[in-house]
């Protein structure tokens, strides 16, 4: 079909499309939906604000479909390689996109994917933004102020006056959490801002937090239009190279429902704007480029919180034995560990691009002013020890026809190696397959890395991951993966070499962009120490965890959306048989016609026999926050999120949530214990845009 006929068909369909736009969801809702699918497969208490910030950045600074490179499109997590190839081929054959409606003519793009794309891409040429001088950017940019207050309705044991009077361990601060953010941005070329956070239990303006907030972060990021210098980051920033094996700060997606999303594809440097108190660098980074060459140089020096031991008669020097990664400094002992070791990281990456892809070399050195000494447990035998660590690696990414080859090989200064090798291939217009092999030596060591793996430490692991996406029709899609892995040395709570298998299958039915249904089955089998055994020593048993889920999201009316889910988790090991966890919830979202007011609410019922059968479910939240609560025991949980647009520049958010347990009289333990069966939480937030 030639281009004039194709455009005629598009124009004839635009009326129906424009009517459908009235049902468009908010940007925050779409980002929340993508975050849910990205992280809901990860059963860990992790701060996901960094991943959320990455999606929000792409949403604010939309890619120009007529200029976006293959690598930039690959950063959109919901696109697979077949779809990226189709977009690039369409642009090559027919020329620049004239409208986003033209995406409908690309057969491999289903309605849901096209719908997501409209939130992250455009076809507009912003000539003014590209040509604006730096001074004019500062004058014309957008300012954003955000304030958040969070408080729990029940008092935890750490706040009771009795503990303080009895000279017991207690929380030094109050039970409030405060967050303040200031951001300035001009498109994707200039950004600077400040983040401050006080967690619950931390002091404000005194003690270990004498300067105000416990966590303070400042960043500046600028991309010049011309010249050798392509980008500069000052203050707090993140650096990511290759497949994240040699060096990668910040979070990266792991196994998820986006089964093809295993290849790392990051901008080499980006400003740090989230609240995770560990996954960032502090200093400066520069990107230079000319023709096919790119050079990134960076340096960082910051104080980190550790389990520090000062020199005494039993040891010849100061040392630390572990990092404190919670970011919490609530008690005197936690405050004493705050910022007690200086960490210096510097290095660079040189990359050469050619027609089929690129090849790059990374070199990074990490130094500490105090020696790190690992613990004496057998599983800690190959942990890093000393004051200095060097990592070097080579990574590549090549596209040939319908095949993408990528990988990275890395070496640490103790002469240990790690490698990741991957292949993504479109075997058919409706079938994509990915195969990834990883082999991390048991003694491989890295300061900051985020490779694709089962475990988060990037060492002592071998594995083969195979995933596929099969499109039976544009509306019916099968996603599946199987990951087989092993550790040749011991791990925490695994006192022998171990193996595991992880399998997921998800069948999606998307009759329209306003209706999405899927059924999912996941089974994990991994060897771990058998809990509750009466033997003299620990032994491994195969622990099997199966998850069954049905999820339906659908539009009830123009302004009313509903989501329903049923999930069952079954756990088995040698001593515990058929422990079950069940979760049923119903979501309702309502917004007024002009979205001046929106409301999201959930009612959830859960029954969980044991912690091993726990259930996770992502929730909607106030802007730039995340929530993935863990469901255990039995009871109900409900929440409501209200967003009100007071004026064109001022928005308010409120989230109230409550969990009521039916089978316990106390919640948590230690300083976190609550006497009672209710846990309530209130968050209030404003955003003012100038």
């Amino acid at each position: 079909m030639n281009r004039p006929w194709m455009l005629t068909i598009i124009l004839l369909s635009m009326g129906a499309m424009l009517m459908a736009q009235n049902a468009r969801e908010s940007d925050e809702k779409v980002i929340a939906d993508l975050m849910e699918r990205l992280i809901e497969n990860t059963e860990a208490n992790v701060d996901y604000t960094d991943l959320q910030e990455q999606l929000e950045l792409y949403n604010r600074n939309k890619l120009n479909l007529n200029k976006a490179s293959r690598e930039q499109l690959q950063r959109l997590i919901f696109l697979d390689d077949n779809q990226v190839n189709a977009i690039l081929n369409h642009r090559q054959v027919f020329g620049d996109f004239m409208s986003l409606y033209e995406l409908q003519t690309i057969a491999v793009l289903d309605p849901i994917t096209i719908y997501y794309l409209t939130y992250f891409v455009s076809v507009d040429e912003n000539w003014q933004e590209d040509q604006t001088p730096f001074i004019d950017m500062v004058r014309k940019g957008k300012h954003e102020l955000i304030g958040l207050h969070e408080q729990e309705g029940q008092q935890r044991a750490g706040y009771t006056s009795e503990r303080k009077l009895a000279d017991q361990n207690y929380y030094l601060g109050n039970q409030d959490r405060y967050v303040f953010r200031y951001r300035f941005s001009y498109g994707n070329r200039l950004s600077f801002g400040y983040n401050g956070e006080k967690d619950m239990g931390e002091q404000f303006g005194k003690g270990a937090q004498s300067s105000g907030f416990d966590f303070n972060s400042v960043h500046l990021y600028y991309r010049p239009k011309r010249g050798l210098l392509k980008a500069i980051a000052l203050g707090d920033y993140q650096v990511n190279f290759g497949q994240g094996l040699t060096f990668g700060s910040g979070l990266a997606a792991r196994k998820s429902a986006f089964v093809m999303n295993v290849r790392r594809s990051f901008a080499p440097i980006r400003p740090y704007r989230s609240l995770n108190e560990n996954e960032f660098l502090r200093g400066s980074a520069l990107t230079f480029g000319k023709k096919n060459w790119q050079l990134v140089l960076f340096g960082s020096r910051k104080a980190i919180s550790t389990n520090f031991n000062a020199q005494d008669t039993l040891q010849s020097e100061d040392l630390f034995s572990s990092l404190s990664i919670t970011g919490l400094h609530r008690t005197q002992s936690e405050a004493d560990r705050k910022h007690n070791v200086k960490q210096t990281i510097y290095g660079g990456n040189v990359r050469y691009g050619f027609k089929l892809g690129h090849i790059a070399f990374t070199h990074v050195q990490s130094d500490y002013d105090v020696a790190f000494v690992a613990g004496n447990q057998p599983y800690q035998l190959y942990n890093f020890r000393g004051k200095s660590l060097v990592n070097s690696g080579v990574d590549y990414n090549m596209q040939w026809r319908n095949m993408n080859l990528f990988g990275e090989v890395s070496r640490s200064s103790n002469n240990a190696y790690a490698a990741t090798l991957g292949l993504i291939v479109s075997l058919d217009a409706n079938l994509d397959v990915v195969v990834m092999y990883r082999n991390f030596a048991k003694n491989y060591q890295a300061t900051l890395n985020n490779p694709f793996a089962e475990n988060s430490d990037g060492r002592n692991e071998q594995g083969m991951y195979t995933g596929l996406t099969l499109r039976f029709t544009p509306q019916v899609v099968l996603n599946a993966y199987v990951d087989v892995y092993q550790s040749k040395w011991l791990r925490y709570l695994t006192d022998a070499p171990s193996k595991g298998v992880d399998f997921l299958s998800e069948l999606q039915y998307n009759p329209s962009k306003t209706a999405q249904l899927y059924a999912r089955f996941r089974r994990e089998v991994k060897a771990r120490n058998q809990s509750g055994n009466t033997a003299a020593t620990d032994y491994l048993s195969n622990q099997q965890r199966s998850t069954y889920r049905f999820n339906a999201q659908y539009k009830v009316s123009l302004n009313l959306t509903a989501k329903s889910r049923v999930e069952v988790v079954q756990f088995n090991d040698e001593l515990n048989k058929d422990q079950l966890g069940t979760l049923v919830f119903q979501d309702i979202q309502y917004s007024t016609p002009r979205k001046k007011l929106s409301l999201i609410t959930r009612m959830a019922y859960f029954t969980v026999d044991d912690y091993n059968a726990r259930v996770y479910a992502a929730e909607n939240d106030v802007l730039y926050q995340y929530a993935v609560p863990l469901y255990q025991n039995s009871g109900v949980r409900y929440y409501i999120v209200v967003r009100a647009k007071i004026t064109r520049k001022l928005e308010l958010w409120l989230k109230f949530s409550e969990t009521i347990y039916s089978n316990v009289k106390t919640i948590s333990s230690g300083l976190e214990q609550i006497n009672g069966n209710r846990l309530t939480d209130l968050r209030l937030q404003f955003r003012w845009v100038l």
Side-chain angles (χ1 to χ4, degrees):
M1 181 181 293
N2 60 34
R3 190 175 179 85
W5 277 105
M6 181 177 63
L7 292 177
T8 300
I9 294 173
I10 293 171
L11 291 171
L12 288 173
S13 64
M14 282 180 66
M17 286 289 292
L18 288 171
M19 290 181 64
Q21 279 189 322
N22 293 329
R24 186 175 175 84
E25 302 287 1
S26 67
D27 291 357
E28 294 83 4
K29 174 64 166 59
V30 170
I31 291 174
D33 288 345
L34 290 172
M35 278 291 295
E36 179 178 12
R37 292 186 61 75
L38 187 65
I39 67 177
E40 63 186 352
N41 217 29
T42 302
E43 295 175 354
N45 185 18
V46 179
D47 185 342
Y48 295 107
T49 52
D50 182 30
L51 289 176
Q52 189 176 20
E53 289 280 349
Q54 294 176 42
L55 284 174
E56 187 269 338
L57 180 64
Y58 299 145
N59 172 251
R60 282 188 168 196
N61 305 291
K62 294 178 172 55
L63 289 175
N64 187 333
L65 271 183
N66 296 322
K67 289 188 173 182
S69 65
R70 178 183 302 276
E71 191 171 26
Q72 288 174 319
L73 290 171
Q74 288 172 345
R75 291 171 191 161
L76 299 178
I77 58 173
F78 54 87
L79 287 180
D80 58 42
D81 270 31
N82 199 8
Q83 293 167 332
V84 171
N85 290 336
I87 291 172
L88 295 175
N89 290 338
H90 182 94
R91 192 171 74 190
Q92 182 178 6
V93 173
F94 297 107
D96 286 353
F97 287 86
M98 297 178 64
S99 167
L100 290 180
Y101 302 119
E102 199 170 329
L103 291 169
Q104 295 177 98
T105 65
I106 302 177
V108 299
L109 297 180
D110 55 83
I112 295 295
T113 301
I114 294 174
Y115 183 60
Y116 284 151
L117 275 169
T118 63
Y119 286 85
F120 296 95
V121 302
S122 72
V123 296
D124 299 323
E125 178 73 26
N126 195 337
W127 180 88
Q128 183 179 11
E129 179 181 308
D130 286 343
Q131 302 301 320
T132 304
F134 180 85
I135 298 301
D136 288 342
M137 290 185 194
V138 176
R139 185 167 55 88
K140 297 178 180 179
K142 182 172 66 174
H143 302 264
E144 181 181 56
L145 296 172
I146 297 173
L148 169 69
H149 173 237
E150 180 179 1
Q151 187 175 45
E152 291 181 335
Q154 292 76 29
Q155 186 181 54
R156 294 185 183 270
Y159 300 99
T160 58
S161 57
E162 291 81 4
R163 295 187 67 89
K164 184 176 181 179
L165 294 173
D167 199 27
Q168 296 177 320
N169 199 22
Y170 66 96
Y171 293 146
L172 301 173
N174 60 29
Q175 203 162 341
D176 298 311
R177 176 173 178 252
Y178 305 119
V179 175
F180 176 77
R181 301 172 186 253
Y182 164 73
R183 296 181 178 182
F184 171 89
S185 62
Y186 186 87
N188 60 0
R189 290 190 57 199
L190 177 63
S191 170
F192 60 83
Y194 164 79
N195 287 341
E197 180 190 37
K198 171 205 170 301
D199 288 306
M200 293 180 182
E202 294 176 340
Q203 293 177 293
F204 184 85
K206 57 183 178 180
Q209 295 83 15
S210 58
S211 60
F213 289 104
D214 177 71
F215 176 66
N216 297 274
S217 175
V218 178
H219 79 268
L220 185 149
Y221 179 80
Y222 174 56
R223 291 198 307 112
K225 178 60 180 176
R226 296 184 178 87
L228 287 175
L229 182 62
K230 301 302 180 184
I232 178 171
L234 300 175
D236 293 348
Y237 62 93
Q238 290 184 317
V239 169
N240 291 275
F241 302 125
Q243 297 306 306
L245 190 54
T246 305
F247 193 83
S249 62
L251 293 177
R254 300 171 68 183
K255 287 179 284 190
S256 74
F258 296 113
V259 299
M260 303 298 293
N261 185 35
V262 299
R263 176 192 52 226
R264 301 293 188 245
S265 184
F266 293 107
I269 64 174
R270 67 177 189 269
Y272 186 71
R273 302 187 296 183
S274 78
L275 299 175
N276 186 301
E277 299 186 24
N278 299 283
E279 303 291 339
F280 67 93
L281 302 174
R282 178 165 288 173
S284 61
L286 302 169
T287 300
F288 301 92
K290 186 174 183 180
K291 294 184 178 179
N292 295 334
W293 290 93
Q294 176 181 278
L295 173 66
V296 178
L297 300 174
F298 72 95
S300 168
R301 183 171 174 81
K302 69 176 184 178
I304 59 175
S305 300
T306 73
N307 184 5
F308 176 81
N309 296 305
Q311 179 181 350
D312 58 25
T313 56
L314 298 179
Q315 60 189 42
S316 60
E317 61 178 345
D318 295 344
L319 56 89
F320 69 99
S321 56
S322 63
L323 300 178
S324 176
I325 62 174
T326 64
L328 299 174
H329 306 104
R330 304 161 298 180
T331 65
Q332 190 59 55
S333 59
E334 289 177 347
D336 291 342
R337 291 197 294 267
K338 182 181 179 181
H339 297 171
N340 51 20
V341 171
K342 295 293 191 298
Q343 178 193 65
T344 302
I345 304 176
Y346 55 93
N349 172 275
V350 60
R351 167 173 161 166
Y352 176 72
F354 48 92
K355 184 178 180 180
L356 295 180
H358 78 262
I359 187 169
F361 172 75
T362 302
H363 184 78
V364 178
Q365 179 161 335
S366 304
D367 295 324
Y368 302 89
D369 67 341
V370 175
F372 179 81
V373 178
N376 297 320
Q377 296 298 318
Y379 73 89
Q380 298 171 317
L381 178 63
Y382 296 102
N383 287 9
F384 166 68
R385 302 165 187 265
K387 289 186 175 182
S388 184
L389 176 64
V390 177
N391 294 89
S392 301
V394 176
D395 69 90
Y396 63 91
N397 191 331
M398 292 182 288
Q399 185 75 33
W400 183 70
R401 295 185 178 178
N402 62 338
M403 291 189 297
N404 178 239
L405 294 166
F406 61 94
E408 183 172 6
V409 179
S410 183
R411 176 186 178 275
S412 53
S413 50
N414 62 340
N415 203 32
Y417 288 85
T420 293
L421 309 172
L423 168 66
I424 300 176
V425 58
S426 297
L427 298 177
D428 181 82
N430 297 312
L431 177 61
D432 299 329
V433 175
V434 57
V435 179
M436 173 182 277
Y437 171 74
R438 59 192 186 274
N439 190 338
F440 311 149
K442 61 186 177 183
N443 57 337
Y444 177 74
Q445 300 165 354
T447 304
L448 291 172
N449 67 350
N450 52 21
F452 181 88
E454 167 67 18
N455 302 286
S456 59
D457 53 8
R459 63 183 180 87
N460 186 26
E461 181 173 325
Q462 294 180 7
M464 180 72 76
Y465 174 97
T466 304
L468 66 85
T469 295
L470 175 61
R471 304 174 191 85
F472 296 102
T473 70
Q475 291 77 33
V476 181
V477 180
L478 174 66
N479 294 310
Y481 72 70
V482 59
D483 185 32
V484 181
Y485 54 88
Q486 65 175 339
S487 294
K488 292 189 174 182
W489 186 244
L490 287 59
R491 287 192 167 277
Y492 177 64
L493 296 181
T494 309
D495 291 348
S498 58
K499 297 181 179 181
V501 179
D502 185 1
F503 170 78
L504 179 142
S505 178
E506 179 181 282
L507 184 64
Q508 300 178 13
Y509 174 53
N510 303 314
S512 70
K513 69 174 184 294
T514 60
Q516 307 163 40
L517 298 89
Y518 69 82
R520 177 186 300 175
F521 170 71
R522 183 187 182 194
R523 174 164 292 171
E524 303 171 273
V525 181
K526 61 172 62 176
R528 300 195 73 183
N529 291 349
Q530 175 63 58
S531 61
N533 79 83
T534 57
T537 59
D538 285 323
Y539 65 91
L540 302 191
S541 69
N542 284 327
Q543 302 183 6
Q544 179 175 290
R545 180 179 166 88
S546 301
T547 304
Y548 309 83
R549 175 188 294 181
F550 175 77
N551 190 92
Q553 184 166 309
Y554 43 92
K555 205 93 177 166
V556 179
S557 65
L558 186 63
N559 299 312
L560 189 63
T561 302
K563 179 165 72 173
S564 308
R565 177 177 299 176
V566 177
E567 181 159 346
V568 177
V569 175
Q570 183 181 37
F571 177 84
N572 289 283
D573 63 20
E574 288 187 9
L575 300 180
N576 304 284
K577 302 299 183 183
D578 293 334
Q579 294 179 333
L580 295 178
T582 303
L583 171 67
V584 179
F585 71 67
Q586 179 65 52
D587 286 3
I588 297 293
Q589 176 178 345
Y590 173 78
S591 60
T592 56
R594 294 188 179 182
K595 291 187 169 56
K596 293 286 186 180
L597 181 70
S598 64
L599 180 150
I600 302 175
T601 183
R602 169 178 297 177
M603 175 60 75
Y605 299 88
F606 59 96
T607 299
V608 180
D609 293 340
D610 183 82
Y611 177 77
N612 288 317
R614 63 197 178 277
V615 186
Y616 293 85
E619 293 183 353
N620 293 94
D621 214 307
V622 301
L623 187 65
Y624 304 137
Q625 294 293 121
Y626 76 96
V628 191
L630 178 156
Y631 290 87
Q632 59 177 329
N633 296 304
S634 298
V636 298
R637 176 175 172 82
Y638 64 91
Y639 72 83
I640 180 171
V641 180
V642 180
R643 171 180 172 267
K645 194 164 187 177
I646 307 302
T647 68
R648 187 171 59 90
K649 297 182 178 181
L650 179 63
E651 294 177 307
L652 300 179
W653 277 265
L654 177 149
K655 180 179 181 180
F656 177 82
S657 62
E658 183 170 44
T659 305
I660 305 172
Y661 295 96
S662 59
N663 64 335
V664 297
K665 295 182 179 180
T666 60
I667 301 172
S668 194
S669 60
L671 295 182
E672 287 289 280
Q673 181 172 309
I674 293 173
N675 292 323
N677 67 335
R678 290 175 179 262
L679 176 61
T680 61
D681 187 82
L682 176 66
R683 291 179 179 176
L684 297 171
Q685 181 174 275
F686 75 87
R687 179 172 69 162
W688 188 20
V689 180
L690 302 174

